[in-house]
Amino acid sequence: MNRYTVTSDLRFNDISVHRSSAAQRCDWHVVAWRRRVIQASLFLFTAIFAAGLQAAENISVLGNKPRWDVLEHYQQTITRDEFAHLINDVYGTHGFAPDLIEIENDSARILMNRDAQKFFTLRFGGTEERKLVPRLWRPAKSLPSAERNKPLSGLRIALDPGHLGGNWAKMEERWFQVGESKPVQEGDLTLCVARLLATRLRDLGAKVSFVRSADEPTTGKRPDDFRELARKILIKNGVPQPRAEVLDSTDPEKEKTIRWQSEILFYRYSEIRRRAALVNFKLHPDLVLCLHFNAEGWGDPTSPMLTDTNHFHLLVNGSYLPEELEFDDQRFEMIRRLLGRAYDEELPLADTIALAMSRETGLPPYAYPTTNSTTKVGTSGYVYARNLLATRLYRCPVVYCEPYVMNSNDVFARIQAGDYEGTRSINGVERKSIFREYADSVTNGLIEYYSKARGRGD
């Protein structure tokens, strides 16, 4: 599921997001659930200040101090019109405080720290004399011509199976079970897809790496490592004597416990930030594919509600909330991503994959119930811009896939059927394994995009 919504990464967006209670478990996109999530996530909103860390900086939860000097490498690499378009139509679509980013004729003034009144000046380049964009990833047009019958030859792809699965699935609230059936655990489903997808992509010449390759965290931290920070967060936010443990999974007050907060700090913030470090400093891919499954509200995970609703959508980075841009690190990360021009590559790629998935699955596009957190982009009708922690921190194009509603009657039956070759009759219809359908559709989109876009020169 997509879920990076938060708030402090203010939508808990930063990471996929917050968990609702078992009784109210819901898709992160459902409005009523989101209100609960945002309310709960307010406990993390001032986490850095609560912990007494980096008090002079306005930093997101577990965030890093911005290195504004890095932006010097991007001087004169973008024109004024390009910068204004990306700010107004992609990244800052919900507006922001006027002192954060001021666009002038020859430069942009970007706030580094409001208390100190420090600003970074970005100088624009002209249409003809722009400098090359410094980056480690390679756009399709700069790749050499493909090898015969290997349209993805040389392309570096990192697969990021969403969530953890295994013994962590219940903690993540990415788990439900119908009667005695096999439990549905999103982290296990995405890992299955990633393994199938890796084989297909390697056969086509791609160099494939895994951001997560097992049902274990990539971070070395665990919830207990965050208990003291969680306690300080709760005290700062009006819970003077926070309860240590969650006594009942259906307790509406569980977000006020040290255990609940420390778990979120572990599996959302710490885990995703560790994955970002792997992507940026070890794997250096040309593209990251974040693999997820979606869901509608299922209520009690031990007696979940199934639905006939089924759909899919894809996400790229953008559509920052005004509150998110108040954080110095998020503002820096947005500007760095904008200047790296990942959007120029990831949007047409996402559109192409979306259309391939549409042909393969026959599913309609998901329609967000509110435009307060997203902006519809592209031409396929399936792609939204949204500020998620992973899509913001990974310093290369990222396509974030959200196909299928796990608790729909059709998808649930297909998940229970497991993986298999060929087709089987599922609810009276001959169907591929849902995992192979997912992997095949993404593969087809990649083949189509890179066959057309690569090797055209810089």
Side-chain angles (χ1 to χ4, degrees), residues 226-327:
F226 299 103
R227 291 185 69 87
E228 181 60 21
L229 176 57
R231 186 184 69 83
K232 290 180 178 180
I233 290 170
L234 290 164
I235 292 172
K236 178 69 175 180
N237 287 278
V239 185
Q241 294 182 317
R243 197 171 74 221
E245 298 297 329
V246 176
L247 303 179
D248 182 350
S249 62
T250 65
D251 182 358
E253 297 292 299
K254 69 178 184 179
E255 68 269 17
K256 296 181 181 180
T257 65
I258 293 173
R259 168 57 58 186
W260 195 86
Q261 291 292 333
S262 63
E263 287 176 353
I264 288 173
L265 288 165
F266 153 67
Y267 75 78
R268 285 296 167 226
Y269 289 95
S270 180
E271 174 65 14
I272 300 303
R273 289 186 180 278
R274 175 56 184 164
R275 294 190 192 190
L278 290 173
V279 168
N280 296 334
F281 305 120
K282 181 180 180 180
L283 302 180
H284 302 298
D286 301 313
L287 167 69
V288 175
L289 294 171
C290 293
L291 307 173
H292 290 255
F293 282 73
N294 214 328
E296 294 287 336
W298 61 52
D300 183 350
T302 63
S303 183
M305 296 179 291
L306 299 184
T307 177
D308 290 328
T309 301
N310 202 5
H311 46 65
F312 84 90
H313 69 288
L314 280 69
L315 295 163
V316 296
N317 187 250
S319 194
Y320 287 60
L321 298 180
E323 300 93 330
E324 292 168 338
L325 290 176
E326 289 291 330
F327 288 98

Side-chain angles (χ1 to χ4, degrees), residues 20 24 50 64 69 79 83 145 147 155 172 199 243 246 279 284 296 316 354 357 372 393 402 427 436 439 441:
S20 59
Q24 291 180 309
N64 296 314
D69 60 306
T79 67
F83 185 86
S145 298
E147 298 175 17
L155 180 67
E172 299 179 289
T199 299
R243 197 171 74 221
V246 176
V279 168
H284 302 298
E296 294 287 336
V316 296
M357 297 183 84
N372 291 339
L393 294 185
E402 284 279 358
N427 291 335
R436 296 179 186 232
S441 63

Side-chain angles (χ1 to χ4, degrees), residues 94-102 111 114 321-323 325-326 331:
H94 303 289
F96 46 83
D99 64 330
L100 297 185
I101 304 169
E102 298 180 36
L111 181 69
R114 183 173 280 126
L321 298 180
E323 300 93 330
L325 290 176
E326 289 291 330
R331 191 166 59 257

Side-chain angles (χ1 to χ4, degrees), residues 16-162:
S16 208
V17 190
H18 269 199
R19 306 177 291 170
S20 59
S21 70
Q24 291 180 309
R25 171 71 165 83
C26 192
D27 174 44
W28 306 111
H29 305 312
V30 176
V31 175
W33 180 83
R34 183 184 290 119
R35 290 189 183 126
R36 177 173 172 77
V37 166
I38 290 176
Q39 181 182 18
S41 67
L42 288 174
F43 287 106
L44 284 173
F45 184 78
T46 56
I48 294 302
F49 298 105
L53 302 174
Q54 299 175 327
E57 302 288 341
N58 185 20
I59 305 298
S60 302
V61 177
L62 300 185
N64 296 314
K65 181 179 179 180
R67 294 181 55 203
W68 292 98
D69 60 306
V70 169
L71 299 187
E72 290 291 345
H73 299 295
Y74 296 92
Q75 297 288 12
Q76 297 178 296
T77 61
I78 192 169
T79 67
R80 181 192 186 282
D81 288 347
E82 289 170 332
F83 185 86
H85 158 63
L86 290 171
I87 285 292
N88 295 325
D89 301 330
V90 178
Y91 294 100
T93 52
H94 303 289
F96 46 83
D99 64 330
L100 297 185
I101 304 169
E102 298 180 36
I103 303 176
E104 301 172 348
N105 288 334
D106 299 321
S107 63
R109 193 177 80 151
I110 302 162
L111 181 69
M112 294 193 293
N113 183 283
R114 183 173 280 126
D115 290 342
Q117 280 296 286
K118 286 186 175 182
F119 296 86
F120 178 84
T121 299
L122 175 72
R123 300 186 303 278
F124 298 135
T127 304
E128 301 299 328
E129 66 273 14
R130 280 181 306 170
K131 296 180 180 179
L132 292 178
V133 177
R135 55 194 171 201
L136 294 176
W137 63 272
R138 299 164 300 167
K141 66 181 181 181
S142 71
L143 294 172
S145 298
E147 298 175 17
R148 183 181 178 85
N149 299 322
K150 291 187 180 294
L152 303 184
S153 58
L155 180 67
R156 301 188 298 257
I157 301 176
L159 302 179
D160 185 12

Side-chain angles (χ1 to χ4, degrees), residues 151-152 157 159 193-194 196-204 289 291 349 352-353 356-357 359-360 401 435-451:
L152 303 184
I157 301 176
L159 302 179
V193 173
L196 291 167
L197 184 55
T199 299
R200 286 155 172 71
L201 300 181
R202 286 170 177 152
D203 288 344
L204 293 166
L289 294 171
L291 307 173
L349 181 52
T352 305
I353 293 174
M357 297 183 84
R359 291 191 296 269
E360 184 79 23
C401 303
F435 308 102
R436 296 179 186 232
E437 181 179 272
Y438 193 158
D440 288 348
S441 63
V442 172
T443 300
N444 291 339
L446 291 171
I447 292 172
E448 181 179 345
Y449 178 77
Y450 284 98
S451 295

